[in-house]
Amino acid sequence: MQGIDHPCVMHLTEHGETSLGGRQVAYMVSEFISGETLEQRCNRERRSNPYEVRQWMLDVLEGLQYLHQQPAPVIHNELTAQNVMLNAQTNRAIIIDFGHARRMSHGRRTADIKGLNPYYLAPEVLHGGLYSPQSDLFSVGVTAYRLLYGGLPWQAKQGDDFDEQLQAMREQPLRVPSLSNVPAPDGMVEAIAKALSVSPADRFRSADEMACAMRGELHISTPMQKTDRPQCADTPSPTKAKPSSEKKDAKPKGNGLKDVVGMRELKAQIQRDVIDVLRNPEESRRYGLSLPNGMLLYGPPGCGKTYFAKKLAEELDFNFMLLTPSDLKSKWVNATQENIAKMFREAEEKAPTIIFIDEINELLPKRNGNVHEMSRSAVNEMLAQMDRTGERGIFLIGATNLPDEIDEAMTRSGRIEKSFYVGPPDAETRREIFEMELKGRPLDFGIDYERLSALTENYVSADIRFIVDEAARDAKDRKVKIDMAILERSIAANPSSITPKKEHNPIGFKK
């Protein structure tokens, strides 16, 4: 790596050989980069903003173009989300870890793939070790997909036929989950799909060409299969008829409830009613205590109800199933009841499991109102399935903005028996959210977190996240660090998404 000097490529400061344990070993010393890897970013924020993903991939492609255009072209061979750093000062992506890099001038054009992540390796590298610029671009495609959708493009079962399974999956049209919030920039998804072509000849000719496609400057057509739900990390993309689940044995995604800012009363209650019961089973049984069947999180949108449920699953090391009423409801007679029963069967098979149903009021409306008979049947099926779910290792969490529209029988003891109001964060929590969201971004001196908190009274966590993102875009356009003036302009331009009326705490529900 001598002579390599580019802002998107790790800089090698020293290398050589030394004696260790009676044998000669090679060593390398690289520059220190303050920040996090893309893998750490994925584990912290499952899916990243598509426009940020595009910029990071453009940085990576710029670095690869520089390496590939050297007089003796350098192929990285191990480009993964783990081997790209985000510089905390500039937010630029930097290619690191050149332990498996090779120059094209080497007589042997194959790479040693032992110990490498097979999902990031191009088919020709995985099956024969043959590397080229196109094999690096394949790895860029996998990395971009991982950041954009929160999972890998393919997931084969470990076994003797692993390679054959993976190859068969790669020969099918690429699954492209929908993005629920911000759509991907024009050309980005098509560029990822082309980079993931099985044949090197069907990929881009160069990193520059792929960058043009990512920016939407080059029209391409690639075979893709659209899916309705985002893919979970480390699992195959589910179909619409099958609930999305985060496997209990999947790689941990974070630090559990330690990642949750604020919500102190809710966390204390969960510790007492759920976590302590699970972690001290003998003592709980002695006092006749068991895991509650479920709980309801209610309050205005954007306050972190879904995030809290996911972090609780991490804390408990539970399997996690995320559903919406549209996943379960059907226009066909009895189909909704069958889907509900199937959901509980799957949860029990994978127990312990948290089932999280967003907008649960749509699935369980009051039966004494003017509702369709099939809706009444759905409520009856849920009531039957909720019998002793805690004993079966199932914990159901419902989330809603309209708790008073849920059938009363569902919120009685023995069903969804715990109800918690999740409202806009208080002043201290808003300050902590600003600190968390601004961490790792290029900041100017003098950020006053107390003032930022005071200016955002009645803002929800999603509002604050949007404010910080908008401020970051403004600073990036101006090519300056984020300062108080930029943040205050962003707050002034983006009022709270809720009103006092929407924030009202309905009578009869515990706050």
Side-chain angles (χ1 to χ4, degrees), residues 16 66 69 82 89 95 158 252 265-266 272 284 293-294 306 312 342 350 372 376 385 415 423 437 444 446 464 498:
Y66 171 82
Q69 284 190 332
Q82 185 65 39
Q89 299 300 316
I95 303 170
Q158 293 296 332
E265 181 183 351
L266 176 55
R272 175 178 178 269
S284 298
N293 287 334
T306 304
L312 177 59
K342 181 181 178 182
K350 298 175 180 177
H372 195 278
R376 291 192 178 91
Q385 291 291 341
R415 272 79 181 241
E437 293 297 330
D444 205 346
I464 296 175
I498 64 171

Side-chain angles (χ1 to χ4, degrees), residues 90-112:
T90 64
N91 201 36
R92 293 202 74 177
I94 301 173
I95 303 170
I96 65 172
D97 198 343
F98 284 77
H100 285 78
R102 296 290 184 274
R103 292 189 182 272
M104 292 286 285
S105 58
H106 286 178
R108 186 170 177 266
R109 286 277 308 282
T110 58
D112 179 10

